[in-house]
Amino acid sequence: MTTTSAASTPTPAGESAQPSVRPSILDLIPGAILLIVLTLLVAEIDRAIANAFRAQGVAQNPLEYPLTAVVIGLIVNFILRATNTFTRVRPAIRTEFFLKIGLVLLGARISLGDLLATGAGGLIQALIMVTSVFFFTWWLGGKLKLSDTLRAVMSSAVSICGVAAAIAAAGSVQARKEEVSYITTLVILTALPLMVIMPPIAQALGLSPTVAGAWFGGNIDTTAAVVGAGTIYGPKAQEVAAIVKGTQNVLIGFAAFGLALYFATVINRGKDEKRPSARVIWERFPKFVIGFVLVSILASVGVFPKELTREIDTASKWLFTLAFVCIGLEFSLKDLRQAGWRPVIVYLGATVFNTLLALVVSYVIFGVVFPR
Amino acid sequence: MSANSSGPATPAGSGGGFTLSEDWLATIIGLVIALIIGLGVLGPGQQTVTLDAAANTTASKSTLAISGWSVSATLAGKTSSISAAPKVLQAGATYVITCENATLSAAQATDQALPEGVSAAASNRAQIAVVNKCPDAVRVTYTSGAAVPYPLFRIF
């Protein structure tokens, strides 16, 4: 079995900036071995760090495993690129794929009641955030004279869920592949620092784990970094962040449909564009959300005993570690250098807007309207 | 079977195989892992049985009849060893840990010689009883390994 995930080709709007050529099993072996070794290494280092802190009387390891994994990935990324061996492991680097499996497994830890309660607030937050941030980014991109396709891809990435939304939007508006890889780099470049700095800021602001999780989920662009920030803040924040982000992800399909319709009827009017069908919504719907909900239901109704849901949770951590290592491995500044400063300004401006708005909205929804 | 990045799982045209999106593939793999672990195919998961017996009382609990238990105990809050503590619990058996003269010792009990207040173990489970004849509280903890044994380390 082989998999591909869009990256270089925007047309089949898929999930992540992964290799566009369908790799064979043999192509996957070197990278898979490297990923397994690095993941084991991360766990060993994480354990050693935790023991070192414990020896100093600090019970909780402040350097959570997502950080360790990303740093290890970045170091190996640098070595691989310096030795021109990166392409040999590239086919196995599949951040979104590992992350989605991990998220399905995470469902075991979240009760159906929590899922519905958080999901309801998450949906309200997602609708407010996606609409506001999308149109703000679109407006700002227009002010700085970005192309319509780049504005569409960027607005979707900032407002919904980073890479996956960027690729979905790119498919809808026929953006160039360079625009997708450029946005992908920007997404990762901003998501990593946010993953690291948002938890201490939330701590300094005295946010509850629920509000903090909702803030991470509503603001950080990549699902991996959202889960990472939540993990750093604590288990409850991780749960809420994952649910809020998952709810936001569900809107990808609607955004892709809306964009396709807008470009067909307004931007490209008279260019023999076909009108999109509502099927786009289902095609872009993140299917892993179904798995996440199913596992949550199975755990909630007692099909999985409590002892075993802990084991499923441990399995999800393994998958998340794989995803975080991949984030470090796939990071590249090359596309960013080529694109110039104006898109960077728009993206950073939109991210600041997103961060502040998400803080207010998550506080109001999860701190005032649905306090938990 | 091949998979592309998105879209529905659809039968390909003539000559083609079956195409599965990465999204569906991740979902299916996640569900399969959850079912394999969650339904206990790999093992019953980590078990912890804690028995607290105040001075001159008896406590008992039923648990899974499995091997690989690690046992620990405290007497008056201080770590204490149990002589002959069973690490393999047999189905239908009752194991009695007795505290006497500030010493903990374990033995398998027969149905005819069960301590007072302790019923026989169910045929498919094991039973642990703590008979505390000491003037201080006794805590005995039985812990088994995880469902998935990680050979190198216990992650996170």
Side-chain angles (χ1 to χ4, degrees):
Chain A
M1 184 188 292
T2 57
T3 63
T4 56
S5 114
S8 20
T9 47
T11 9
E15 297 305 321
S16 60
Q18 315 282 358
S20 58
V21 180
R22 218 171 258 189
S24 69
I25 294 286
L26 283 177
D27 291 335
L28 292 170
I29 289 174
I33 292 171
L34 178 74
L35 285 177
I36 290 168
V37 170
L38 292 181
T39 303
L40 295 177
L41 182 68
V42 168
E44 287 290 358
I45 292 173
D46 184 72
R47 195 171 64 157
I49 293 172
N51 286 339
F53 275 110
R54 213 169 289 132
Q56 299 298 316
V58 182
Q60 180 70 31
N61 175 10
L63 300 173
E64 289 280 357
Y65 71 92
L67 289 178
T68 313
V70 172
V71 170
I72 294 286
L74 282 170
I75 293 169
V76 176
N77 178 352
F78 175 75
I79 296 169
L80 290 172
R81 288 179 196 274
T83 54
N84 288 325
T85 48
F86 183 75
T87 48
R88 301 186 79 175
V89 300
R90 186 72 188 86
I93 300 173
R94 296 180 173 275
T95 309
E96 298 275 339
F97 182 65
F98 298 131
L99 188 74
K100 283 170 188 168
I101 301 174
L103 284 168
V104 170
L105 296 173
L106 186 69
R109 209 179 71 190
I110 297 165
S111 75
L112 193 59
D114 279 355
L115 189 62
L116 293 174
T118 311
L123 187 60
I124 297 169
Q125 174 171 323
L127 288 170
I128 296 170
M129 291 302 303
V130 169
T131 314
S132 312
V133 177
F134 184 95
F135 286 110
F136 176 81
T137 314
W138 180 265
W139 168 80
L140 193 60
K143 284 279 171 199
L144 272 83
K145 300 189 172 22
L146 301 190
S147 72
D148 287 330
T149 48
L150 184 60
R151 285 164 77 195
V153 174
M154 190 184 285
S155 303
S156 304
V158 185
S159 63
I160 308 173
C161 58
V163 178
I167 295 170
S172 295
V173 304
Q174 303 300 309
R176 288 179 295 118
K177 68 174 186 179
E178 293 80 10
E179 292 176 325
V180 181
S181 33
Y182 173 67
I183 295 296
T184 299
T185 308
L186 271 177
V187 163
I188 297 171
L189 197 66
T190 51
L192 284 181
L194 286 175
M195 179 183 93
V196 178
I197 63 169
M198 284 182 72
I201 293 174
Q203 195 85 50
L205 292 172
L207 301 185
S208 70
T210 309
V211 174
W215 186 33
F216 306 152
N219 176 43
I220 303 176
D221 289 335
T222 72
T223 309
V226 165
V227 173
T231 307
I232 292 168
Y233 207 71
K236 185 69 191 171
Q238 188 201 43
E239 285 173 23
V240 174
I243 295 172
V244 167
K245 195 67 185 168
T247 312
Q248 207 159 299
N249 285 353
V250 168
L251 299 179
I252 293 176
F254 294 94
F257 175 74
L259 278 170
L261 194 64
Y262 180 69
F263 270 67
T265 55
V266 179
I267 303 282
N268 297 326
R269 191 170 47 190
K271 292 183 187 170
D272 198 25
E273 280 278 320
K274 280 183 186 168
R275 280 191 173 237
S277 71
R279 193 180 166 179
V280 171
I281 295 171
W282 169 243
E283 285 176 354
R284 307 288 188 242
F285 183 87
K287 315 298 183 300
F288 73 88
V289 171
I290 297 169
F292 177 81
V293 174
L294 265 176
V295 171
S296 172
I297 291 171
L298 289 172
S300 299
V301 299
V303 173
F304 300 155
K306 211 170 212 172
E307 293 82 12
L308 292 173
T309 58
R310 277 203 299 265
E311 306 303 336
I312 298 173
D313 188 41
T314 303
S316 80
K317 285 177 181 167
W318 281 98
L319 269 304
F320 288 152
T321 308
L322 272 170
F324 296 132
V325 168
C326 286
I327 287 183
L329 282 172
E330 70 184 349
F331 182 74
S332 167
L333 280 173
K334 199 177 111 194
D335 297 310
L336 207 58
R337 285 198 206 101
Q338 293 169 348
W341 58 270
R342 277 184 302 147
V344 176
I345 288 180
V346 176
Y347 197 90
L348 292 180
T351 300
V352 171
F353 176 78
N354 194 5
T355 305
L356 296 176
L357 185 66
L359 178 60
V360 174
V361 172
S362 58
Y363 182 79
V364 171
I365 292 178
F366 288 94
V368 179
V369 182
F370 300 113
R372 303 182 64 223
Chain B
M1 187 187 287
S2 64
N4 58 27
S5 62
S6 77
T10 48
S14 61
F18 181 76
T19 309
L20 191 65
S21 74
E22 185 183 272
D23 216 7
W24 275 118
L25 193 61
T27 305
I28 291 166
I29 291 174
L31 282 171
V32 168
I33 294 172
L35 288 172
I36 287 174
I37 300 176
L39 296 178
V41 176
L42 298 176
Q46 188 178 42
Q47 305 284 316
T48 302
V49 181
T50 303
L51 296 105
D52 285 307
N56 300 309
T57 61
T58 297
S60 66
K61 270 186 184 168
S62 169
T63 186
L64 290 177
I66 53 175
S67 58
W69 291 97
S70 58
V71 193
S72 62
T74 60
L75 175 58
K78 292 178 183 167
T79 305
S80 181
S81 61
I82 306 172
S83 70
K87 306 283 175 67
V88 178
L89 302 183
Q90 309 279 359
T94 299
Y95 302 88
V96 180
I97 297 165
T98 307
C99 181
E100 210 160 19
N101 301 323
T103 306
L104 292 164
S105 60
Q108 188 171 339
T110 59
D111 283 353
Q112 289 77 30
L114 288 172
E116 199 180 326
V118 177
S119 53
S123 60
N124 60 342
R125 291 176 70 83
Q127 181 145 263
I128 308 166
V130 175
V131 178
N132 187 3
K133 297 176 181 172
C134 297
D136 297 304
V138 172
R139 166 173 284 191
V140 174
T141 306
Y142 265 72
T143 309
S144 74
V148 185
Y150 301 116
L152 292 177
F153 50 80
R154 172 93 181 130
I155 194 172
F156 312 118

